[in-house]
Amino acid sequence: MTFQFIHTADWQLGAPFAGFSSDLSGELKAARRDVIVSIAAIARDENVAHVVVAGDVWDSETPSDATLAQPLELMAEAGHVTWWLMPGNHDVHSKARLWARVAQKKSANVRLLLTHDPVEAEPGVWFLPAPWDNRAPGRDLTAAMDAAQTPAGSIRIGIGHGSVEDFASETAAVTRISKNRPDTAELDYLALGDWHGMKQITPRIWYSGTPEPDRHVDNDRGSVLLVSIAAHGATPTVRPIRSAKFEWPVAALELFGADDLSKVASMVLGERSARTTLAKLSLSGRITISDRQELARILSELESRLAYLDVRDEKLEVIVEAADLDTLDATGSVRAAADDLLLRKNNMDLSRADRDTAARALDLLFTFAASKSEA
């Protein structure tokens, strides 16, 4: 009998998304909640009856009533799925009573994995959970799986949360999950959460990553894993399926002229929907002041279309010649400042930091002048 389930983790419901406008922050929080609907649709399309959430279902131990109840309502509406929820390091099973509140509000198709006891998901298939019960466990929580008893020949699926040894090395060594756990615990698969990108550690150990991206990190976020296990001892088949609404692309471009400028929008946006794209763009290279003004126009148009645009252009050098100062349409102290900045920018007796500061100031002066003339 082949057993299939969806492996997901790190929903972090209620994450605040500070630093964005209130409207966008609200949309991003709603997307994290509504990814439950997307996962339920994937389960229906793939004829899968079980969804395993390997920790950090909520972003904290004290979510608001709405942040707690609304996701549980969505899970209840997806009656074709059994949802298996396990505490992670953000939503530990502790005196904060989060999981007692969940137990009171959840529907029958939501199952809580709050102890290390094996749970039979289907005949011949057992889940071996390793929930967090405090923020500093001081041990590899999956170690208890080694002694977990299940009937002979059963499919054994471990569910853990944390860093694997030799990966994410900032975690204290004593708490890192052993890469040998599938061997020592006779696991057919170890479903992990904590790392927000999808990653295969071994053929039997995977991080699913967060199903809805949450920051500009290029590590394959925004999917769930469809896991198929034919029998105890068989190598699992794992297939990623896209689940995200929003995309957070990271692009780096070198610009050296008009031809490169024409590629900026396509490199940032590609085939994505502008309304659901939060892009980070790093620029480098060397362009003229006229190209810089055209770039400002392109970026302004992009910013108006995208959900969010973060531009880093500290490494982009703008060539300013003496003749360019005549295009400023500035007199008096403004023109004097521009003349002085150009001299400082080209003065090799100054430090590189001072020359760079002058160049940035001159660039800002031209950018401001261009925006005033357009107004």
Side-chain angles (χ1 to χ4, degrees):
M1 176 198 71
T2 296
F3 178 71
Q4 289 189 309
F5 69 100
I6 288 174
H7 167 198
T8 180
D10 300 292
W11 291 1
Q12 294 191 218
L13 298 165
F17 291 101
F20 298 102
S21 69
S22 59
D23 287 348
L24 180 56
S25 176
E27 287 190 59
L28 294 172
K29 285 190 282 188
R32 296 194 79 75
R33 178 198 64 212
D34 294 343
V35 78
I36 295 169
V37 177
S38 299
I39 295 171
I42 292 170
R44 186 182 298 278
D45 292 344
E46 300 292 340
N47 195 29
V48 173
H50 299 273
V51 173
V52 171
V53 189
D56 285 358
V57 184
W58 281 273
D59 188 55
S60 75
E61 299 171 64
T62 55
S64 68
D65 287 342
T67 300
L68 182 86
Q70 291 175 7
L72 291 173
E73 190 70 24
L74 293 177
M75 287 182 247
E77 291 173 2
H80 59 290
V81 174
T82 299
W83 305 86
W84 300 85
L85 310 184
M86 190 188 78
N89 63 303
H90 276 255
D91 54 5
V92 298
H93 181 34
S94 69
K95 295 178 181 179
R97 295 193 68 254
L98 165 62
W99 293 95
R101 293 169 63 199
V102 174
Q104 291 173 351
K105 294 180 179 294
K106 74 176 187 67
S107 54
N109 66 324
V110 175
R111 303 284 300 275
L112 307 184
L113 301 170
L114 304 181
T115 73
H116 289 264
D117 297 334
V119 179
E120 190 171 26
E122 286 188 1
V125 180
W126 290 78
F127 290 152
L128 282 61
W132 283 57
D133 56 9
N134 68 80
R135 289 191 174 275
R139 67 191 189 284
D140 176 359
L141 293 172
T142 68
M145 297 175 186
D146 292 356
Q149 299 296 309
T150 58
S154 297
I155 292 175
R156 290 165 61 92
I157 298 168
I159 307 168
H161 190 89
S163 298
V164 173
E165 57 187 2
D166 302 328
F167 180 66
S169 58
E170 70 275 5
T171 305
V174 71
T175 66
R176 290 184 206 149
I177 297 168
S178 170
K179 289 196 298 185
N180 294 324
R181 190 62 61 213
D183 297 326
T184 60
E186 297 184 16
L187 301 178
D188 297 293
Y189 184 82
L190 179 54
L192 293 181
D194 190 44
W195 180 249
H196 283 207
M198 182 183 65
K199 187 173 182 65
Q200 177 184 2
I201 303 299
T202 74
R204 297 187 187 277
I205 303 177
W206 284 73
Y207 286 95
S208 64
T210 180
E212 186 66 42
D214 52 5
R215 65 189 63 185
H216 290 111
V217 180
D218 192 9
N219 64 357
D220 207 358
R221 301 173 181 222
S223 297
V224 298
L225 299 178
L226 175 60
V227 183
S228 302
I229 305 173
H232 178 54
T235 301
T237 299
V238 181
R239 175 161 61 92
I241 301 176
R242 192 74 183 166
S243 54
K245 173 182 178 180
F246 284 94
E247 297 191 69
W248 298 60
V250 177
L253 298 177
E254 277 192 306
L255 305 178
F256 293 100
D259 288 345
D260 294 329
L261 296 183
S262 66
K263 302 172 186 176
V264 170
S266 60
M267 286 292 293
V268 171
L269 193 53
E271 299 299 321
R272 302 179 185 92
S273 167
R275 193 180 64 81
T276 54
T277 296
L278 295 87
K280 180 178 181 179
L281 174 62
S282 297
L283 298 174
S284 60
R286 196 165 186 261
I287 60 176
T288 66
I289 193 65
S290 59
D291 285 340
R292 182 68 175 92
Q293 292 169 344
E294 173 62 11
L295 174 63
R297 186 196 65 77
I298 292 170
L299 294 177
S300 177
E301 181 181 349
L302 258 180
E303 187 174 25
S304 69
R305 297 173 59 203
L306 297 175
Y308 180 78
L309 178 61
D310 179 7
V311 179
R312 307 295 175 92
D313 59 1
E314 297 85 358
K315 296 182 179 180
L316 179 64
E317 182 182 357
V318 180
I319 305 166
V320 181
E321 304 292 350
D324 293 321
L325 299 184
D326 294 331
T327 68
L328 267 177
D329 191 24
T331 59
S333 60
V334 175
R335 176 56 189 262
D339 289 334
D340 181 60
L341 289 171
L342 182 59
L343 288 173
R344 287 174 176 272
K345 174 181 178 293
N346 295 326
N347 187 350
M348 300 306 294
D349 291 334
L350 297 178
S351 68
R352 177 62 185 267
D354 286 342
R355 298 198 309 273
D356 287 347
T357 298
R360 291 290 297 166
L362 193 57
D363 182 18
L364 289 172
L365 186 60
F366 271 94
T367 301
F368 177 74
S371 66
K372 292 292 286 184
S373 64
E374 289 174 2

